[in-house]
Amino acid sequence: MKNSSNFRELDAQYVMPAFTRDMMITRGSGSLVWDSDGKEYIDCVAGIAVCSTGHCHPAVVKAICDQAHDLIHCSNLYYVPHQAELAKKLVEISGLEKAFFSNSGAEANDGALKLARVRTGRKKFVSFVHGFHGRTIGSLAVTHKPAIREPFEPLGLECSFVEYGDLGSLKKAVDDTTAAVLVEPVQGEAGVILPPPGFLEGVREVCDDHGTLMIADEVQTGMGRTGKWFAYQHSHVTPDIVTIAKGIASGFPMGALVARQGLEFQKSEHGSTFAGGPLACAAALATIGVIEEVLSSIPVKAERFRKGLSRHNPRVAGLLIGMTTGDRCVSIRDNCAGQGVLVNCAADGNLRLMPPLVISDREIDRVIEVVNEAIG
Ligand SMILES: *Cc1c(COP(=O)(O)O)cnc(C)c1O
């Protein structure tokens, strides 16, 4: 894939122009990727917090290849190899009771909304300003950003949005007809917005007062990203349902929801052709094995980033890091890419770093040097 390829022209002619992009990544190993010109980068985007174990981790590659030789797909009409084993792992690391699989984060959230509706018999939802929960019709209805939601209304799902961190407003918004409150323990797409102390405990209390379910959307923050398996584990509460995707299977598409005792889909209430397939489950189990080995190192790596980037007041949630850079975000991002470091601009001019959890100290130091220079 040297310069000879004409992927830009092909893309312009045949792919709907929903994304803005300018380069092709053709290879990855650990925290490094290479573009179609052979230029090397330290990847602090990691597929948007997806490539948790780094690119092409040998254990993940082996798990996928081995499974591909045995069975690629069989459907949920049959017991699926590795599926129950993975569900057991997710239950153990979450402190919840039973899992249901999906193929993406949005679908995991759709599943959680359905589960909340069918088990509470209630219709309404509450979520938070600047929150992001996905692009399907269901998950979009609980996603705040008007620019991506309003063109698709009506979405047929009643949701009110409350300022993130504002428990007073939450109390007013939730009543005995609210099925669930959907909350990100750290708002990722918003630019790594940290909850004020006691916020998740407060959400739990408001939910308990009204028999409302608390759904933690850990699609971005889960699977070790913040230094614990789930970001709610930094607080004193457990949600009724947690949704997971991005980092769960190192880039093999997968999502899941895990719910507490008594909250489960009954026969035929929900389903999916691909969800929890053999390849995805094999990739996820291998991914969890790798994360188990590096989990305790994440707070240390996070602290290295925090110190190195301290002059920019970084918001650090483990290896999910945001900095307010305003209008300069895109030029800073491009400047970093020029120096061989990939970073991302989240909403509202917030520079975001979400490197693989296996990133080395040497790589972290290089990222710090490049980002500091680019911000100036
Ligand atoms: C990315 C993300 C989603 C959507 O996940 P998809 O796999 O893109 O559907 C939902 N919630 C949060 C918090 C996310 O970061």
Side-chain angles (χ1 to χ4, degrees):
M1 280 288 245
K2 279 281 171 194
N3 288 326
S4 58
S5 115
N6 62 342
F7 58 83
R8 286 188 183 83
E9 291 81 61
L10 278 175
D11 185 283
Q13 189 168 356
Y14 294 110
V15 181
M16 293 189 189
F19 301 98
T20 306
R21 49 197 177 193
D22 63 7
M23 68 160 154
M24 179 180 274
I25 294 174
T26 55
R27 200 158 62 81
S29 176
S31 298
L32 302 178
V33 291
W34 290 267
D35 71 12
S36 50
D37 295 323
K39 184 175 163 66
E40 180 181 293
Y41 304 86
I42 301 174
D43 185 7
C44 289
V45 178
I48 315 188
V50 165
C51 309
S52 48
T53 58
H55 293 276
C56 305
H57 191 289
V60 177
V61 172
K62 182 172 188 310
I64 293 172
C65 290
D66 287 354
Q67 184 55 47
H69 283 293
D70 286 345
L71 183 72
I72 291 176
H73 178 73
C74 60
S75 126
N76 285 304
L77 295 172
Y78 309 96
Y79 291 110
V80 179
H82 305 304
Q83 196 185 84
E85 202 183 332
L86 175 60
K88 178 172 186 276
K89 271 279 177 199
L90 294 178
V91 162
E92 284 166 3
I93 64 177
S94 67
L96 293 162
E97 183 89 358
K98 278 190 181 164
F100 187 93
F101 293 101
S102 66
N103 305 288
S104 67
E107 262 186 81
N109 284 330
D110 278 1
L113 298 174
K114 284 181 70 176
L115 185 58
R117 273 210 170 157
V118 78
R119 291 287 82 85
T120 64
R122 301 176 182 182
K123 305 249 178 284
K124 292 193 310 189
F125 294 94
V126 174
S127 64
F128 294 91
V129 173
H130 300 308
F132 182 83
H133 301 292
R135 304 280 200 151
T136 57
I137 292 279
S139 62
L140 192 58
V142 292
T143 288
H144 172 254
K145 197 175 185 178
I148 66 170
R149 175 171 40 82
E150 285 175 352
F152 304 98
E153 289 183 337
L155 294 164
L157 202 149
E158 196 183 327
C159 181
S160 37
F161 299 98
V162 168
E163 283 296 330
Y164 192 67
D166 182 353
L167 288 171
S169 299
L170 184 68
K171 270 181 204 137
K172 285 184 205 136
V174 175
D175 63 29
D176 291 353
T177 68
T178 310
V181 174
L182 205 73
V183 61
E184 291 167 90
V186 173
Q187 287 189 319
E189 295 305 299
V192 191
I193 308 303
L194 308 177
F199 178 57
L200 292 180
E201 287 82 352
V203 173
R204 179 76 270 180
E205 208 176 299
V206 172
C207 287
D208 288 345
D209 285 348
H210 295 281
T212 295
L213 301 181
M214 176 177 176
I215 302 172
D217 179 345
E218 297 245 13
V219 168
Q220 188 157 156
T221 51
M223 303 312 291
R225 176 60 48 189
T226 71
K228 296 203 186 261
W229 283 108
F230 296 101
Y232 64 76
Q233 291 164 342
H234 296 284
S235 80
H236 300 290
V237 304
T238 306
D240 297 291
I241 305 173
V242 62
T243 56
I244 317 169
K246 293 193 166 93
I248 192 174
S250 300
F252 200 97
M254 167 168 258
L257 62 92
V258 192
R260 69 157 160 77
Q261 193 183 14
L263 269 185
E264 45 187 68
F265 286 119
Q266 301 301 324
K267 299 270 175 248
S268 309
E269 280 181 342
H270 197 27
S272 166
T273 298
F274 290 120
L279 287 176
C281 289
L285 279 170
T287 297
I288 290 172
V290 175
I291 297 173
E292 273 167 351
E293 282 169 26
V294 299
L295 193 58
S296 64
S297 73
I298 291 168
V300 185
K301 292 175 186 178
E303 196 48 36
R304 200 174 183 93
F305 270 114
R306 186 203 303 279
K307 279 207 185 102
L309 297 170
S310 60
R311 76 176 92 141
H312 314 295
N313 296 317
R315 299 178 295 276
V316 180
L319 291 179
L320 183 59
I321 298 161
M323 284 166 284
T324 304
T325 52
D327 293 346
R328 296 176 59 228
C329 198
V330 170
S331 75
I332 291 166
R333 178 197 67 193
D334 293 346
N335 202 321
C336 288
Q339 296 302 309
V341 172
L342 298 182
V343 296
N344 160 261
C345 291
D348 303 325
N350 285 305
L351 196 72
R352 179 174 49 166
L353 278 64
M354 44 204 153
L357 307 181
V358 297
I359 191 170
S360 70
D361 285 351
R362 235 189 71 235
E363 288 163 339
I364 293 173
D365 291 345
R366 176 65 187 149
V367 170
I368 289 169
E369 190 181 325
V370 167
V371 170
N372 275 333
E373 173 134 353
I375 299 181

